[in-house]
Amino acid sequence: GYAHPVEIEFEGVKRFLLMPALVPCKHPPPPMANQIILVDYPPGLDMSFDPFLVTGTLTPEVSLEIGIQAQYRMQAREVSSATHPDVRN
């Protein structure tokens, strides 16, 4: 999925929303809550427009971050850039 930072930071991001697609600022509306995961990643992540693979423990937990509702939360153990064969549209 694609990472969207919760705070206005792009280096060392420790909390981000994982979404199925990049969402522009105003259009279209964000994905449904069951397609969004709030991810905590203590080591920090440098943001990019590329998709990421995230491994960790997923729990059902509703949260509201930057006006977007997420239905799941993940404590990430590993985050890596997804390569083209990993991403299927």
Side-chain angles (χ1 to χ4, degrees), residues 28-86:
M32 297 185 324
N34 66 352
Q35 297 177 332
I36 301 172
I37 302 168
L38 176 61
V39 179
D40 292 305
Y41 186 56
L45 171 69
D46 291 341
M47 301 304 297
S48 75
F49 292 108
D50 298 323
F52 290 96
L53 294 174
V54 182
T55 304
T57 304
L58 185 67
T59 56
E61 180 183 320
V62 177
S63 63
L64 185 64
E65 296 288 341
I66 61 171
I68 299 174
Q69 184 176 355
Q71 199 160 347
Y72 302 98
R73 188 172 197 147
M74 177 182 279
Q75 184 64 43
R77 286 188 308 271
E78 182 179 351
V79 177
S80 60
S81 292
T83 58
H84 182 69
D86 297 324

